[in-house]
Amino acid sequence: VQLQASGGGLVQPGGSLRLSCATSGFTLDYYAIGWFRQAPGKEREGLSYIRKSDGASFHAESVKGRFTISRDNAKNTVYLQMNSLKPEDTAVYYCAATNIATMTPDWYDYWGQGTLVTVSS
């Protein structure tokens, strides 16, 4: 099982980025996939997850309406579209896989390496 997050970078406040989580070793109907972030000095925060069974998506209140998680089963890839970015969104973003669809990082078994998002003018 492998996950690889990509798509981070420097973006101005109000801008958008799309993160990708390329997966291998399993199909997306086998694990739920979540997106998390961790800013310096802060705990890892759950942002969004997409359920393995029906592809239903869930978002934390902190990003609801700005971030959207989606998946492409044919490409075994999960995306996080991030709009209206704010400086406080600056963090390393991770994707992870779990059998238990939840926003809690502790329940995730497999993690990608993280991609840095910096929101700054």
Side-chain angles (χ1 to χ4, degrees):
V1 173
Q2 289 189 326
L3 302 96
Q4 184 168 353
S6 63
L10 174 63
V11 62
Q12 292 187 341
S16 298
L17 277 177
R18 188 179 78 159
L19 306 183
S20 299
C21 177
T23 70
S24 59
F26 64 98
T27 55
L28 293 178
D29 58 353
Y30 196 78
Y31 287 115
I33 304 296
W35 280 100
F36 302 84
R37 68 185 177 190
Q38 189 164 19
K42 295 189 176 181
E43 292 187 353
R44 192 163 294 189
E45 175 189 10
L47 302 174
S48 307
Y49 67 87
I50 192 162
R51 231 159 35 188
K52 62 182 180 179
S53 56
D54 57 3
S57 60
F58 300 85
H59 301 275
E61 285 299 322
S62 59
V63 301
K64 196 173 289 185
R66 298 191 299 126
F67 291 10
T68 303
I69 190 172
S70 63
R71 70 184 186 186
D72 185 331
N73 291 341
K75 295 183 178 180
N76 284 328
T77 300
V78 176
Y79 303 98
L80 186 68
Q81 178 67 43
M82 306 187 296
N83 299 327
S84 303
L85 284 162
K86 307 173 183 179
E88 51 264 43
D89 294 317
T90 296
V92 177
Y93 285 69
Y94 300 88
C95 58
T98 180
N99 274 313
I100 302 172
T102 173
M103 211 68 81
T104 305
D106 290 349
W107 288 101
Y108 283 75
D109 301 304
Y110 304 99
W111 290 82
Q113 83 288 3
T115 185
L116 177 63
V117 172
T118 303
V119 184
S120 174
S121 54

